[in-house]
Amino acid sequence: MTEHLNIVLEVENLVIGYNGVAIAKNINFKLAKGELNAVIGINGIGKSTLLRTLGNLQPKLAGSICISEKQLENFSAIDLATKLSLVLTESIASKNMSVLELISLGRQPYTNWIGTLTANDKEKINGAVEMLSLKDLQHKKCFELSDGQLQRALIARAIAQDTDIILLDEPTTHLDLYHKARILKVLKSIAHKTGKTIVFTTHEIEMAIQLCDTLFLLDSEKNYFGKPDELIRAKVFEKLFPAETVSFDAATGSFRINT
């Protein structure tokens, strides 16, 4: 019963795609409170489409998506914004705003019609600034930031929104190895310390294997979900790429190019 109560996001028999044409089906997984989950798969398999469908930015073709036992389509836009936050790869509307102003946008679902920030709003914003180590950057304009700094600011905005679920599309794109690892370690820390459920799409499969609590491998019709060690034992990573080109070493959790 306790495990059931900890399930925040439940997806059953989901089919995703565009204009009635399915690009992936048989999508099933359950995510618990305080878990870091990565959606992995080859290019063009539908990772971003899945994330956008979970975030209600595009309609599902079939199946169900439940947030805290409530169907996604039964949420109003404002209620959903208090349950789920989303960080996409699109550019922000204005890079002329300060980091603090960007993070403050996360409080929009809770403010009144003129956007007045309460003491509680400011506490959430300051907490997000601290969590993402942005105190020294909070008054800088967004156009002055590096890619890694801007990514941290966007994650801080989602943290300030204070939702149970955070969805991030490719949060480590364009970052070097150090900053990729740093962002993912921050996400893991946030999930475990705050109890938020974080789902992100990524091509960084080896990092995801090392850092995530659970992984969802999107593979069109036959998909796989579980803890990294479970998926390694089930040999699902060996099926990800053509064996003559790339092989997976289960002992090290890494891929090797076959020459």
Side-chain angles (χ1 to χ4, degrees):
M1 183 68 177
T2 303
E3 182 182 349
H4 180 67
L5 290 175
N6 281 334
I7 297 300
V8 177
L9 178 62
E10 183 170 359
V11 175
E12 290 186 342
N13 301 319
L14 182 65
V15 180
I16 59 172
Y18 294 90
N19 302 317
V21 178
I23 60 172
K25 56 182 69 172
N26 299 321
I27 298 173
N28 295 276
F29 58 84
K30 295 179 182 179
L31 299 182
K33 182 178 180 182
E35 285 188 342
L36 178 64
N37 173 268
V39 177
I40 60 178
I42 62 173
N43 284 346
I45 202 68
K47 297 186 297 295
S48 295
T49 303
L50 173 58
L51 206 73
R52 293 174 66 85
T53 305
L54 295 177
N56 208 33
L57 293 184
Q58 67 182 73
K60 65 189 180 185
L61 300 186
S64 71
I65 302 169
C66 284
I67 296 175
S68 301
E69 301 185 341
K70 183 177 178 179
Q71 291 287 337
L72 180 64
E73 58 267 27
N74 292 335
F75 283 90
S76 67
I78 194 69
D79 285 342
L80 185 60
T82 64
K83 283 286 186 181
L84 180 150
S85 51
L86 187 60
V87 180
L88 297 175
T89 53
E90 286 93 340
S91 297
I92 59 176
S94 172
K95 287 194 174 183
N96 202 40
M97 68 177 82
S98 70
V99 169
L100 195 60
E101 287 169 335
L102 173 63
I103 297 170
S104 299
L105 292 177
R107 299 306 299 167
Q108 279 187 331
Y110 309 95
T111 57
N112 58 31
W113 65 277
I114 55 173
T116 305
L117 295 173
T118 65
N120 180 61
D121 292 324
K122 293 175 182 177
E123 183 180 336
K124 299 290 185 186
I125 292 164
N126 291 332
V129 168
E130 291 288 342
M131 207 173 292
L132 274 299
S133 304
L134 291 167
K135 194 168 184 180
D136 293 341
L137 299 173
Q138 61 184 321
H139 299 301
K140 282 200 167 217
K141 298 292 187 181
C142 289
F143 68 78
E144 299 178 286
L145 304 181
S146 68
D147 288 339
Q149 290 169 339
L150 181 58
Q151 193 63 48
R152 278 160 51 209
L154 290 168
I155 294 170
R157 182 187 64 185
I159 295 297
Q161 197 171 327
D162 196 23
T163 57
D164 295 336
I165 301 167
I166 301 174
L167 307 178
L168 305 108
D169 194 14
E170 297 283 357
T172 59
T173 299
H174 307 309
L175 303 183
D176 59 35
L177 183 61
Y178 166 75
H179 287 95
K180 288 177 193 290
R182 184 181 180 189
I183 287 288
L184 295 186
K185 288 180 72 174
V186 166
L187 292 178
K188 182 174 184 176
S189 175
I190 290 168
H192 290 185
K193 289 181 179 178
T194 68
K196 297 185 185 301
T197 301
I198 301 178
V199 183
F200 68 100
T201 61
T202 186
H203 291 98
E204 310 300 330
I205 302 173
E206 293 177 11
M207 283 190 187
I209 289 171
Q210 293 180 59
L211 292 170
C212 289
D213 299 298
T214 56
L215 299 173
F216 183 73
L217 173 56
L218 191 60
D219 190 22
S220 188
E221 294 201 17
K222 188 168 179 56
N223 308 296
Y224 304 88
F225 172 74
K227 296 177 180 178
D229 59 335
E230 294 171 344
L231 297 181
I232 288 173
R233 286 197 299 271
K235 298 187 175 181
V236 302
F237 298 110
E238 280 90 332
K239 307 166 189 173
L240 194 57
F241 301 109
E244 67 273 11
T245 306
V246 178
S247 58
F248 181 75
D249 183 346
T252 61
S254 60
F255 292 91
R256 184 177 66 249
I257 298 173
N258 297 324
T259 56

